[in-house]
Amino acid sequence: MFKTVKTLGVAASLVAGLAVGAGAVKADEAPVKMSVIGTWNSMTNYNDREAPFWRGISKDTEGKVIATIGSYSEFGLKGFEVMSMLKSGVFDYAYGLPGYVASENAVFEGADLSSVAQDIGTERKVAEAYFPTLEGAFEKYFNAKLLQLYPFPSQILYCKDEISGIQDLKGKKIRVYATSLGDFVEGVGGTSVTVSFGEVIPALEKGVVDCAITGTMSAYTAKWYQAAKYVYSLRVGWGLAFGAMNMDKWNSLSETQQADMKARLDKLTDSMWEATAQEDDVAIKCLTGKECPIGADAPLGGMTLVEPSAADLKVRDQVANDVVLARWAERCGKDCADNWNETVGKVLNMNAVAK
């Protein structure tokens, strides 16, 4: 966990940065000042989309919006504390994963339940169907205005020792970062282990875990291939992320400012979905192929690719229905599950029913 002193220091630095930037704008123009916390600076969503958007917004709006942004990595945050910091006003805008706030209420898991959406087009339909539900939950629990839902590349498995299919996950200790991923792991006979992203390589090396789950590009950029030798490309999630604004900050904006901000963020969100669709295939090639499309000097992971068989997919579907959805429906309650069935369930032709 972060230290309070460090958090206050971060906030002070952000405020100071905003004050400097505001000097270039006439006082009577009342620029909107934004302090933003992004995701991880080792990943493309932050480097290529989150950070450039907010660092460029002053120029793009001719000084009407001035922002500073830093990453979880820079601030020493693990993600679980971000929404409480947004709620208290330490940050004005925050990015994160719904799995990090699901302990508040299981409703936050509903747009990215493990193993139910197998392609990015379907996952976007799921996100759009569930957006109003999450929008209400963010306001209720965190006094926040949900403005973005966007994906990281598909979440698959990376194992230290040889595996040939889903049956080999039985008995394995597998790193997860969200409850429904743990449900999937336990549904196939494995043991779920919570390990922070930055500790996965030593955890694999020391045998704390046998396999780990993360996104394709995340695994490549973090060099998980140094400790894991097998990539099992069964899609068990999408690492769906959110962008949300402190509700008091949102309400302080005029209707014109709100409309302009939403339009800019909608455009950013579209670019995130488009880029992730491309990055998924690129990352797999960099992890396993004889060349990496990122560039001639990009390292090759040298991993062995294991693709799921038809039998694997059948088992996955059974686990999704009988374990993942059933456990989530029990955690979330009947009204919550009924709402999911009427929104996401219709997209997927699935039902979440507690056993």
Side-chain angles (χ1 to χ4, degrees):
M1 295 293 287
F2 67 96
K3 296 180 180 179
T4 303
V5 172
K6 186 171 185 177
T7 301
L8 293 174
V10 168
S13 297
L14 288 168
V15 172
L18 293 173
V20 171
V25 181
K26 294 181 180 178
D28 58 5
E29 291 179 345
V32 176
K33 303 173 184 179
M34 299 287 297
S35 59
V36 184
I37 178 68
T39 53
W40 300 270
N41 64 6
S42 63
M43 300 184 189
T44 52
N45 258 333
Y46 179 82
N47 290 319
D48 297 348
R49 291 173 283 282
E50 296 167 18
F53 174 85
W54 291 104
R55 287 172 181 160
I57 200 168
S58 177
K59 180 178 179 181
D60 293 342
T61 62
E62 297 181 340
K64 294 178 182 177
V65 180
I66 300 168
T68 60
I69 182 171
S71 67
Y72 291 0
S73 316
E74 293 167 300
F75 295 159
L77 303 177
K78 295 181 179 179
F80 298 98
E81 58 273 73
V82 166
M83 285 308 294
S84 62
M85 296 172 77
L86 182 75
K87 183 177 182 179
S88 64
V90 174
F91 298 109
D92 298 312
Y93 199 90
Y95 289 101
L97 302 181
Y100 286 168
V101 296
S103 59
E104 189 72 33
N105 191 292
V107 68
F108 291 103
E109 300 176 65
D112 192 19
L113 291 168
S114 179
S115 69
V116 300
Q118 291 305 306
D119 63 84
I120 196 167
T122 300
E123 178 57 25
R124 184 155 199 188
K125 291 177 183 177
V126 166
E128 290 171 349
Y130 206 62
F131 193 100
T133 299
L134 285 179
E135 186 176 30
F138 270 87
E139 182 172 2
K140 177 180 179 179
Y141 292 100
F142 295 109
N143 189 41
K145 173 69 174 176
L146 179 66
L147 289 162
Q148 294 181 266
L149 288 176
Y150 66 98
F152 281 78
S154 61
Q155 308 295 295
I156 59 178
L157 294 107
Y158 308 82
C159 295
K160 182 177 181 179
D161 297 322
E162 182 176 2
I163 64 168
S164 60
I166 200 168
Q167 73 282 353
D168 292 332
L169 299 178
K170 186 175 182 179
K172 294 284 195 297
K173 302 185 295 293
I174 302 175
R175 178 263 181 179
V176 302
Y177 61 83
T179 303
S180 78
L181 289 174
D183 292 336
F184 168 80
V185 167
E186 292 165 17
V188 297
T191 300
S192 61
V193 181
T194 302
V195 177
S196 66
F197 184 81
E199 295 299 317
V200 168
I201 289 179
L204 284 165
E205 291 174 338
K206 296 174 183 177
V208 175
V209 296
D210 303 303
C211 305
I213 295 172
T214 196
T216 52
M217 187 59 76
S218 304
Y220 175 70
T221 56
K223 300 181 180 180
W224 279 20
Y225 50 80
Q226 293 178 345
K229 300 305 177 186
Y230 292 83
V231 180
Y232 182 38
S233 59
L234 182 75
R235 284 172 169 156
V236 296
W238 284 94
L240 192 72
F242 63 80
M245 189 180 296
N246 175 282
M247 186 63 79
D248 295 335
K249 185 71 174 183
W250 174 255
N251 288 335
S252 73
L253 306 182
S254 68
E255 289 185 5
T256 299
Q257 289 171 326
Q258 289 178 349
D260 180 71
M261 181 67 75
K262 185 177 184 305
R264 292 178 187 278
L265 289 168
D266 285 348
K267 186 176 179 180
L268 173 63
T269 300
D270 287 341
S271 74
M272 288 169 154
W273 284 93
E274 292 166 4
T276 295
Q278 297 172 5
E279 286 181 356
D280 216 21
D281 291 335
V282 168
I284 289 290
K285 290 178 181 177
C286 293
L287 286 165
T288 67
K290 295 181 180 179
E291 61 180 8
C292 180
I294 292 176
D297 296 330
L300 297 176
M303 302 183 77
T304 298
L305 177 63
V306 179
E307 297 182 296
S309 65
D312 288 349
L313 298 179
K314 186 175 181 179
V315 172
R316 176 210 63 202
D317 290 344
Q318 183 178 354
V319 171
N321 280 291
D322 296 349
V323 182
V324 174
L325 289 178
R327 287 186 178 185
W328 178 75
E330 185 174 354
R331 286 196 299 275
C332 209
K334 187 177 185 304
D335 290 345
C336 176
D338 287 346
N339 172 71
W340 189 93
N341 293 334
E342 288 299 311
T343 54
V344 176
K346 289 187 174 180
V347 172
L348 299 172
N349 195 28
M350 301 176 80
N351 279 306
V353 180
K355 295 296 176 72

